[in-house]
Amino acid sequence: MTATASISYPRRWRRPPQLVKTRHWRLLLPLLLLAYLILALGSLEIDAGRVVEGLSRGARFVQGFLQPDFTSRWQDIRQGLIESLTMTLTATVVGVLVSVPIGIGAARNLSPRPVYLVCRSIVAVSRSLQEIIIAIFLVAMFGFGPFAGFLTLAFASIGFVAKLLADDIEEASASQIEAIRATGASGWQLIHYAVQPQVMPRLIGLSLYRLDINFRESAVIGIVGAGGIGATLNTAIDRYEYDSAGAILLLVIAIVMLSEYGSSHLRKYLQ
């Protein structure tokens, strides 16, 4: 008799265990959550007049989005796109290059504990701060412009790529790593022959995915002065040039879609 045939499966459905077993609390908890929701909505201080005014401004923005103007501010849009694309590409390349040694150091199955703790601390610090906060800090340090945006995106890329790369290395096949280690291979040879073939397709996918994220984030951090297309978008909105803002958003959407389709084909080709 095979092992599969000896396994007995349940024939009757059983209710999963309840988190709250007392009937009194099962009735009281939804009421408490509903009361909290009502109190939270009441603390928002919603002004009906402001809502109506905001809806009218939103309608004008949608109208400008449907009738985009690519010509009036084309030079500013072109410069902003070039800055965003330059920041995105350079920050992704630098971020990935720095992330590889940090990711290797943050893998528990490869690195000694002191190196592991230091690299994990770097990853934690990078992931704990939102890009917009980092951009505000770097703009205050280095002034307005794409340099602050480049540093922001590169710093954020380190935490993203290094964290996922370290997790992939820890989930790599232990037998393959032990087989290479048993041959007396050095640390570099162990990474090159045992780890790199297993994680390289994943690293390429992460890098391309981070490239998409960095371009979208470049449109956000530009609002606080970190350069890129976000600064041009913020200027257009401040001047109530919703037709130019709509053109900028359409260009951002088009570039993100092209990047998404291109990266998917590239991943298939490389894998």
Side-chain angles (χ1 to χ4, degrees):
M1 180 180 295
T2 62
T4 305
S6 61
I7 298 176
S8 60
Y9 295 96
R11 298 181 178 274
R12 299 180 60 184
W13 178 82
R14 293 183 179 180
R15 182 187 298 273
Q18 296 178 344
L19 296 177
V20 181
K21 297 182 179 180
T22 306
R23 183 175 182 275
H24 174 74
W25 282 107
R26 287 202 303 268
L27 297 175
L28 184 60
L29 285 177
L31 294 177
L32 293 176
L33 292 176
L34 180 61
Y36 173 77
L37 179 61
I38 294 173
L39 293 174
L41 291 176
S43 65
L44 295 179
E45 299 180 358
I46 300 175
D47 187 354
R50 293 181 59 185
V51 172
V52 173
E53 183 181 357
L55 290 176
S56 63
R57 287 199 301 265
R60 292 198 301 270
F61 181 80
V62 172
Q63 184 179 1
F65 188 82
L66 297 176
Q67 297 176 349
D69 182 10
F70 293 93
T71 58
S72 298
R73 297 177 56 84
W74 173 246
Q75 292 300 325
D76 296 334
I77 295 174
R78 177 176 174 273
Q79 181 180 357
L81 283 176
I82 292 175
E83 286 185 356
S84 284
L85 292 173
T86 302
M87 286 192 306
T88 298
L89 183 59
T90 55
T92 303
V93 172
V94 172
V96 171
L97 291 178
V98 177
S99 299
V100 170
I102 295 177
I104 294 173
R108 185 182 287 106
N109 57 341
L110 290 183
S111 305
R113 185 167 181 79
V115 177
Y116 169 80
L117 293 176
V118 171
C119 292
R120 281 288 176 175
S121 299
I122 296 174
V123 171
V125 171
S126 177
R127 287 170 53 82
S128 63
L129 298 175
Q130 182 66 20
E131 284 86 347
I132 193 71
I133 299 176
I134 303 172
I136 293 173
F137 177 71
L138 292 177
V139 166
M141 288 181 59
F142 302 106
F144 297 98
F147 181 65
F150 158 75
L151 293 177
T152 300
L153 297 177
F155 183 75
S157 299
I158 292 173
F160 179 86
V161 178
K163 169 68 167 59
L164 297 178
L165 177 62
D167 293 343
D168 290 335
I169 294 175
E170 291 180 349
E171 295 174 359
S173 175
S175 59
Q176 186 172 345
I177 295 176
E178 292 300 326
I180 299 297
R181 183 177 285 138
T183 62
S186 62
W188 169 251
Q189 291 173 332
L190 179 68
I191 295 173
H192 181 69
Y193 292 105
V195 178
Q196 184 263 344
Q198 299 186 64
V199 302
M200 180 57 71
R202 174 66 170 166
L203 177 61
I204 294 173
L206 290 175
S207 303
L208 295 174
Y209 182 48
R210 187 65 210 185
L211 186 69
D212 295 342
I213 296 175
N214 282 343
F215 181 75
R216 294 195 297 270
E217 291 296 333
S218 69
V220 177
I221 62 176
I223 296 177
V224 297
I229 195 61
T232 309
L233 176 63
N234 188 39
T235 302
I237 293 177
D238 288 341
R239 295 179 178 179
Y240 300 102
E241 298 175 354
Y242 296 128
D243 49 358
S244 297
I248 294 172
L249 291 177
L250 287 175
L251 288 174
V252 171
I253 293 172
I255 293 176
V256 170
M257 290 180 64
L258 289 175
S259 176
E260 176 65 24
Y261 290 127
S263 62
S264 63
H265 287 293
L266 183 60
R267 282 195 296 266
K268 292 179 181 178
Y269 174 76
L270 293 175
Q271 294 178 3

